[in-house]
Amino acid sequence: MVGSKDLQPSTAKFLNVFIDNQFYAKPQWPAPDTDLSGKTAIITGGNTGLGYETASQLLDLKLTHLILAVRAPEKGNAAATSLLTLHPGATIEVWPLDLSSYESIRAFTRRAATLPKLDMALLNAGILNFEFRLNPSTHHEEMFQINYLSTALLALLLLPILKAKHAPNSPPARLTIVNAALSLVATFPTRTSTPKIFTALDDPHNFNRDETYNTSKLLAHMFLWKIADEVSADDVIVNLADPAWVKGTQLARESTGLVRWGLKLFELCGRTKRVGAACFVHALVGAGREGHGAFLMSWRVHPFAAMLYTDEGKGVIERVWEETMGEFEFAGVRDMVGRLRG
């Protein structure tokens, strides 16, 4: 089993990586005999875009029970109705989940713990803001909050449930976090900040639309670097998945002016949602144990951001991990992570 940590850091220029990832990678589709009958999956942000398309593809593989975790239940219900029209034999539930609220995340996972089975989870929800915003509940910068902190907490709380609840005598459970190739070019300018990196990320003077987004995705690399050693691939296969640039996802829906028009032009070379979602289905269903601790770019294991392999980067990983554990002391995550090893 070789995860991203075991690879050599990439020395390729990002433009070359982008072109290869966007235009030359060949889609990998599930084996014809793939059958998800009897399995239960959670998808966050599953009411639209890649989340919805991934849900549809899993249902095509006979997924029995789907939970759409959404901030707006009315939109989730509309998506569920549409999916049930295509897959009338499935059980599809809509559960509220607001990633801007730690209490909402905890309530959601408490409910997930009551499920008779849970086999896979796709943490797909994320945001791209074009201006600085503080989360009113946590007082963290919003992209940092949603793309990293809330996603990490949700992952940490779901892991023991997945370990305990996946179908017996079946392959390991799966947890996939949606990521982005732009994580590879994050410079993380606040990485040396004292006394806390997280405090610097919340400073409006440090906000940069592109860099803050890229850093929020880089932090997930650091999270996976650590958490993959805490959970056995025999219990839960945990990975990151990048779908490349996909048209029509609404990620940049708040863009305006020249940026908006530029993104619309760029969408001409974007993948379809069907192909983009296939990356997530591969991470959830197709990738074997080599997918544990892996940053999967277009169906292939890719090295983490090069920074992580340096002595400085490894020190930053430890700082980020400790600050993450400290952020979530209220949820008892240190003990929870310790129990994952058992």
Side-chain angles (χ1 to χ4, degrees):
M1 183 181 73
V2 178
S4 294
K5 189 192 298 189
D6 304 307
L7 301 177
Q8 292 297 311
S10 174
T11 58
K13 293 182 178 180
F14 179 72
L15 179 60
N16 294 336
V17 172
F18 170 79
I19 291 173
D20 178 69
N21 185 42
Q22 187 73 34
F23 301 110
Y24 291 100
K26 301 298 182 184
Q28 294 185 25
W29 304 99
D33 60 348
T34 302
D35 188 340
L36 301 183
S37 298
K39 293 188 180 296
T40 299
I42 288 172
I43 298 180
T44 69
N47 61 293
T48 188
L50 286 172
Y52 179 91
E53 178 60 30
T54 303
S56 182
Q57 291 187 29
L58 293 177
L59 291 166
D60 284 340
L61 298 174
K62 302 179 183 178
L63 180 74
T64 297
H65 187 185
L66 171 65
I67 296 165
L68 299 177
V70 298
R71 185 175 58 178
E74 65 277 6
K75 294 181 180 179
N77 289 331
T81 299
S82 176
L83 289 167
L84 280 169
T85 300
L86 300 172
H87 306 279
T91 297
I92 302 178
E93 295 185 74
V94 177
W95 291 11
L97 174 63
D98 183 357
L99 287 180
S100 68
S101 163
Y102 286 152
E103 184 47 45
S104 178
I105 294 168
R106 297 179 77 188
F108 179 88
T109 54
R110 285 194 294 267
R111 186 176 182 183
T114 68
L115 290 167
K117 289 188 294 184
L118 181 59
D119 301 280
M120 62 189 73
L122 175 66
L123 308 191
N124 164 71
I127 59 171
L128 171 59
N129 286 343
F130 285 78
E131 59 184 25
F132 180 84
R133 294 177 187 167
L134 274 182
N135 180 290
S137 174
T138 65
H139 305 292
H140 288 298
E141 189 278 322
E142 196 169 38
M143 277 196 286
F144 167 48
Q145 178 68 61
I146 302 299
N147 295 349
Y148 177 64
L149 286 174
S150 293
T151 298
L153 178 61
L154 181 59
L156 289 165
L157 296 180
L158 283 175
L159 279 170
I161 302 171
L162 286 159
K163 177 181 176 180
K165 300 273 187 174
H166 76 278
N169 303 315
S170 69
R174 305 292 181 115
L175 176 71
T176 295
I177 300 172
V178 172
N179 204 254
L182 286 170
S183 58
L184 301 176
V185 294
T187 61
F188 200 177
T190 56
R191 67 187 182 278
T192 60
S193 300
T194 56
K196 285 189 174 184
I197 293 172
F198 288 4
T199 301
L201 288 169
D202 295 330
D203 187 338
H205 295 97
N206 294 325
F207 180 82
N208 174 284
R209 178 193 67 210
D210 298 326
E211 184 51 51
T212 300
Y213 176 81
N214 297 351
T215 294
S216 74
K217 296 299 185 179
L218 175 66
L219 290 168
H221 286 224
M222 297 183 177
F223 177 79
L224 185 59
W225 183 287
K226 293 290 292 185
I227 199 63
D229 289 337
E230 304 295 340
V231 57
S232 170
D234 294 329
D235 295 324
V236 188
I237 291 175
V238 189
N239 50 43
L240 307 176
D242 164 51
W245 183 257
V246 178
K247 63 182 72 176
T249 65
Q250 299 184 10
L251 177 63
R253 55 186 173 272
E254 294 188 5
S255 60
T256 58
L258 292 176
V259 173
R260 186 177 187 86
W261 284 106
L263 290 172
K264 284 185 175 296
L265 288 173
F266 191 55
E267 280 204 346
L268 295 175
C269 67
R271 288 178 175 168
T272 64
K273 283 181 276 192
R274 178 172 179 267
V275 174
C279 297
F280 301 157
V281 174
H282 171 73
L284 290 166
V285 177
R289 281 173 169 77
E290 74 278 3
H292 184 61
F295 174 40
L296 298 168
M297 286 179 60
S298 298
W299 312 280
R300 295 175 293 189
V301 179
H302 191 278
F304 289 126
M307 178 194 302
L308 275 65
Y309 300 88
T310 66
D311 289 341
E312 180 197 13
K314 291 175 183 177
V316 176
I317 290 170
E318 294 302 323
R319 287 189 65 194
V320 167
W321 179 255
E322 282 305 310
E323 291 191 33
T324 301
M325 292 294 101
E327 176 77 10
F328 303 144
E329 286 287 0
F330 66 88
V333 293
R334 289 186 192 272
D335 290 341
M336 196 174 300
V337 169
R339 290 194 297 271
L340 286 173
R341 303 188 196 107

